[in-house]
Amino acid sequence: MASLRDAREGAENVERAAESVTEHPVFEGIARGGFVMSGLVHVLIGWFALRVGLGDSGQDADQSGALRAVAAAPGGNVLLWIGGLAMLALTVWHLAEAWFGARWERDARKRTAHVVKTLGKAVVYGALGATALRFAVGGGSDSGQQTSEVTAGIMSTPGGRIAVAVLGLAVIAIGGYHLVKGISRRFEDDLRPTGDHRIGLAVTVTGVVGYVAKGVALIAVGALFGWAAIGADPEKATGMDGAFQAMAALPAGMVLLAVVGIGLMLYGVYAVLRSRYAEL
């Protein structure tokens, strides 16, 4: 009985220590840097999307292309180290928020939604942070090729095509969530008041346009997974760059890519603003 009580007290002490660390101003400042790095990546992806629309496909318009461009810039490796570690700190913060937020929320449905949403963010920032660090040490890989290889592996299993189709629907749903969040301006719930009308307007405009553009891009990526599942061809699932290439082939595709590219660049600006005004 005493050992059980000691174990419980030890766990509570660890939990309090973890909460203190994630709430420390220094840790919070580092985590906010993760938003800045995410913003830079989105600005570059948006820029590459514009270039795809103009017929220039020399650089992958996706996460790996953006990080490769950063690595090639003067001081790029240092920036990747700083940004990668900052995004991992932001990942830890989201994991802590999922745990502590779930404990504070009494409504079961709201608690589940909070955990799923927060863990999803942790996965996104964790993956981006780990990828940035791989590029920082001279590694890295092509996101589109990696996506196709993973898709091929899933398809080789029983029921693999159904799993890929479900994955595509999930990505489309996430894209739809971004669309709704942008149009309804729900992202403002994640932010503190700016205290300045002009900055507040900039946050609203970049947030609305950015979330909508990212939603469209994710829906296109999800559609490629569905296309791959229907045709049993994993090569069709090529991630963000493949989605932009598919958009370019559409009627008025250049205009669509210009809108999405500019929107993703504005999402990057919003992410930088978010680093200042996000509720952490």
Side-chain angles (χ1 to χ4, degrees):
M1 192 70 177
S3 61
L4 180 61
R5 184 173 59 253
D6 291 342
R8 186 183 300 112
E9 290 177 354
E12 290 175 352
N13 290 335
V14 170
E15 186 176 353
R16 282 194 294 270
E19 189 171 14
S20 297
V21 169
T22 55
E23 291 180 350
H24 195 282
V26 174
F27 183 89
E28 180 183 311
I30 295 172
R32 288 183 184 278
F35 289 124
V36 177
M37 187 64 187
S38 174
L40 173 60
V41 169
H42 280 88
V43 168
L44 289 172
I45 292 175
W47 171 245
F48 295 150
L50 284 174
R51 292 174 59 179
V52 169
L54 295 173
D56 180 4
S57 57
Q59 182 68 272
D60 291 337
D62 55 17
Q63 175 182 297
S64 63
L67 294 174
R68 192 175 293 113
V70 174
N77 281 352
V78 175
L79 180 58
L80 286 174
W81 273 108
I82 295 172
L85 292 173
M87 283 187 286
L88 291 184
L90 188 56
T91 301
V92 172
W93 185 89
H94 280 303
L95 290 173
E97 175 64 14
W99 174 259
F100 295 117
R103 295 195 63 179
W104 296 330
E105 181 58 63
R106 296 185 178 277
D107 184 273
R109 187 171 60 179
K110 290 182 179 179
R111 182 167 58 249
T112 302
H114 172 82
V115 171
V116 170
K117 182 175 69 173
T118 310
L119 287 180
K121 292 178 181 179
V123 170
V124 170
Y125 286 113
L128 185 54
T131 304
L133 293 178
R134 282 204 303 272
F135 274 93
V137 297
S141 58
D142 183 276
S143 296
Q145 181 180 354
Q146 196 172 42
T147 301
S148 295
E149 291 173 354
V150 171
T151 304
I154 295 173
M155 282 189 178
S156 65
T157 63
R161 289 176 63 182
I162 295 176
V164 171
V166 171
L167 176 61
L169 290 174
V171 175
I172 290 173
I174 294 171
Y177 169 78
H178 278 75
L179 281 174
V180 172
K181 190 168 184 176
I183 294 171
S184 65
R185 294 170 54 175
R186 290 182 188 172
F187 59 87
E188 293 179 340
D189 296 338
D190 303 329
L191 308 173
R192 300 194 307 262
T194 62
D196 185 294
H197 173 71
R198 290 170 298 179
I199 296 177
L201 181 61
V203 169
T204 299
V205 171
T206 56
V208 170
V209 178
Y211 268 101
V212 170
K214 188 168 182 179
V216 171
L218 288 171
I219 288 172
V221 172
L224 288 183
F225 277 111
W227 190 20
I230 293 171
D233 183 2
E235 293 297 322
K236 293 176 180 176
T238 51
M240 191 73 75
D241 184 62
F244 291 145
Q245 298 289 348
M247 286 184 193
L250 296 173
M254 189 175 80
V255 176
L256 177 60
L257 273 176
V259 172
V260 172
I262 292 171
L264 287 172
M265 293 171 74
L266 288 176
Y267 183 88
V269 175
Y270 165 78
V272 174
L273 293 170
R274 187 180 179 187
S275 70
R276 173 67 177 82
Y277 299 105
E279 289 280 9
L280 287 184

